């Protein structure tokens, strides 16, 4: 999704923060008094972007003031990878987590890639090492390794092909083999296996946000909100996906809401997702049983402003790892 952020340079001075052009989009999500505390940083960030020839790529889990007021492009992991390839500007600031910034650097290596906070990790990326992949290959000779993009460049470099939650089924099917190793998310792997005839060998990684949802949560949502449509991210345990109406990546959830306009919907995923989809779908009622990702939430306006002011933290990838890691991502992008 391409987002239109606003430039402070073209705007007359004003006293009322609610007159800010970006406020219209988020006025139902952010109280006026809170919005007023954001405006100075929003204007500074938009000024810095212009001065530094920078664009902000923002994951769907950013808070609404980041997603709707300073981001240039928003989307799921797959969209952000594709968009990173096409950025012309000199600097990409990744409002997301470390593996996303690394992916952007791999796909557009001549650009300066900034991540506001180096602590923005991911429980999935931390769950696996290249040595784990070597051991899985030893145990399952000949099975290709399909690696979720939520991994380090070193793990991607040890893999055959990457996938995201938005294309995993197509990636697995494209290989034309009876058995694959799919790492590191055990739940994503099991949810994808249920949609193919391919035998999927898993690794015991999990997303700390999605693994906390339970089938009981879904039952309670349905009991309290009759008629609700439940959409679950495929990083949720399979029992949660089975209790839901549909499953898909964050972009697929967004498309579902935009196209189907359900009367009530519950997005079983990170908290900011509902806010960001609600901004464009005022007639849909959002039930919000969410869990916070502490890593995504490190991308505050202040952190983003500081990153543009100081040029920190610049993401680089070891030259030896870059070529094989890039190949695994590019193979994915060739399929879907
Ligand atoms: P997608 O946006 O690709 O669905 O990924 C969700 C996620 O948890 C990213 O860290
Ligand atoms: Fe990682 Fe889960 Fe946070 Fe996404 S939501 S960055 S998968 S911990």
């Amino acid at each position: 999704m391409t987002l239109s952020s606003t430039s402070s340079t073209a705007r007359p001075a004003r006293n009322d923060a609610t007159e800010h052009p970006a406020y219209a989009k988020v006025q139902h999500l952010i109280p006026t008094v809170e919005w007023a505390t954001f405006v100075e940083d929003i204007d500074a960030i938009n000024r810095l972007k212009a001065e530094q020839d920078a664009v902000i790529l923002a994951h769907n889990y950013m808070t609404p003031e980041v997603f709707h007021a300073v981001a240039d492009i928003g989307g799921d992991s797959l969209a952000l990878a594709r968009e990173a390839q096409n950025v012309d500007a000199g600097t990409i600031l990744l409002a997301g987590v470390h593996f996303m910034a690394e992916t952007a650097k791999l796909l557009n290596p001549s650009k300066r890639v900034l991540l506001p906070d180096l602590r923005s990790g991911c429980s999935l990326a931390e769950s696996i090492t290249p040595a784990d992949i070597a051991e899985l290959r030893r145990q399952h000779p000949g099975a290709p390794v399909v690696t979720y993009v939520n991994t380090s460049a070193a793990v991607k470099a040890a893999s055959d092909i990457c996938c995201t939650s938005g294309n995993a089924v197509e990636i697995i099917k494209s290989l034309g083999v009876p058995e694959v190793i799919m790492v590191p998310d055990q739940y994503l792997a099991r949810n994808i296996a249920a949609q193919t005839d391919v035998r999927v060998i898993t690794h015991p990684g999990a997303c700390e946000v999605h693994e906390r949802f339970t089938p009981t949560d879904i039952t309670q949502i349905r009991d309290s909100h009759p008629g609700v449509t439940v959409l679950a991210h495929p990083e949720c345990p399979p029992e949660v996906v089975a209790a839901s109406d549909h499953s898909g990546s964050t972009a697929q959830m967004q498309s579902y809401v935009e196209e189907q306009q359900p009367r009530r919907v519950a997005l079983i995923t990170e908290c900011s997702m509902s806010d960001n989809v609600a901004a464009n779908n005022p007639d849909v009622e959002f039930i919000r049983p969410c869990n916070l990702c502490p890593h995504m939430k490190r991308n505050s306006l202040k952190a983003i402003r500081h990153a543009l002011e100081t040029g920190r933290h610049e993401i680089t990838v070891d030259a030896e790892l870059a070529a094989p890691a890039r190949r695994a991502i590019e193979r994915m992008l060739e399929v879907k």
Side-chain angles (χ1 to χ4, degrees):
M1 167 164 46
T2 302
L3 306 163
S4 54
S5 60
T6 49
S7 163
S8 62
T9 49
R11 213 174 36 256
R14 57 181 184 274
N15 296 322
D16 183 355
T18 61
E19 287 173 22
H20 194 288
Y23 191 55
K25 202 71 181 283
V26 295
Q27 60 185 331
H28 301 298
L29 305 168
I30 303 178
T32 313
V33 57
E34 192 184 0
W35 175 256
T37 68
F38 293 148
V39 169
E40 190 198 331
D41 288 324
I42 289 169
D43 286 348
I45 289 166
N46 286 322
R47 191 178 59 246
L48 284 159
K49 282 195 307 184
E51 284 168 10
Q52 303 203 7
D53 187 28
V55 296
I56 297 183
L57 267 53
H59 187 263
N60 288 329
Y61 294 159
M62 291 301 103
T63 47
E65 69 279 7
V66 171
F67 197 77
H68 291 292
V70 300
D72 298 285
I73 294 167
D76 66 354
S77 310
L78 182 58
L80 295 183
R82 286 197 185 288
E83 295 287 353
Q85 271 184 313
N86 300 327
V87 166
D88 283 331
T91 294
I92 299 171
L93 184 142
L94 209 308
V97 293
H98 191 272
F99 76 81
M100 295 176 176
E102 233 177 26
T103 300
K105 183 69 183 175
L106 287 165
L107 292 173
N108 207 337
S110 67
K111 308 300 178 188
R112 181 176 70 145
V113 176
L114 300 178
L115 182 70
D117 191 324
L118 283 179
R119 294 171 298 173
S120 309
C122 171
S123 65
L124 283 167
E126 279 154 29
S127 73
I128 188 156
T129 65
D132 294 323
I133 295 196
E135 176 58 20
L136 282 163
R137 284 196 195 275
R138 198 189 60 72
Q139 289 174 9
H140 305 278
V145 176
V146 180
T147 292
Y148 199 27
V149 286
N150 298 40
T151 46
S152 66
V155 166
K156 289 183 177 79
S159 310
D160 295 298
I161 188 168
C162 288
C163 72
T164 73
S165 55
N167 63 13
V169 174
E170 289 83 356
I171 298 295
I172 301 268
K173 286 183 176 170
S174 78
L175 297 172
V177 294
E179 179 179 82
V180 300
I181 297 166
M182 188 173 178
V183 296
D185 188 336
Q186 58 183 309
Y187 298 133
L188 178 74
R190 283 166 55 196
N191 287 323
I192 298 307
Q195 298 175 58
T196 75
D197 294 329
V198 179
R199 190 170 109 80
V200 177
I201 296 146
T202 62
H203 174 82
C207 162
E208 68 190 79
V209 175
H210 293 93
E211 71 175 343
R212 283 188 275 148
F213 291 108
T214 66
T216 308
D217 294 336
I218 310 296
T219 305
Q220 285 172 352
I221 293 164
R222 290 196 193 280
D223 289 349
S224 317
H225 306 281
V228 67
T229 300
V230 180
L231 309 183
H233 196 278
E235 290 171 8
C236 294
E239 312 79 62
V240 171
V241 169
S244 305
D245 297 305
H246 297 278
S247 176
S249 76
T250 57
Q252 289 164 342
M253 287 183 179
Q254 180 184 356
S255 301
Y256 183 96
V257 173
E258 277 170 4
E259 285 158 22
Q260 305 295 325
Q261 291 288 297
R263 187 168 59 86
R264 303 179 135 168
V265 72
L267 305 183
I268 308 302
T269 189
E270 211 273 344
C271 297
S272 292
M273 186 67 197
S274 289
D275 285 340
N276 291 331
V277 181
N280 294 325
N281 295 279
D283 298 331
V284 178
E285 180 192 355
F286 286 78
I287 314 303
R288 295 164 190 262
C290 67
N291 289 326
L292 267 180
C293 175
H295 312 292
M296 292 282 184
K297 297 286 101 100
R298 291 191 186 280
N299 294 275
S300 63
L301 288 173
K302 294 229 175 292
I304 292 170
R305 179 177 178 176
H306 189 251
L308 289 170
E309 282 170 346
T310 61
R312 293 176 64 206
H313 299 274
E314 185 168 354
I315 301 303
T316 55
V317 181
D318 186 282
E320 263 182 42
L321 297 176
R326 184 179 306 118
R327 201 158 47 241
I329 303 170
E330 286 177 346
R331 276 191 74 190
M332 167 185 85
L333 294 175
E334 282 161 19
V335 176
K336 191 183 174 196

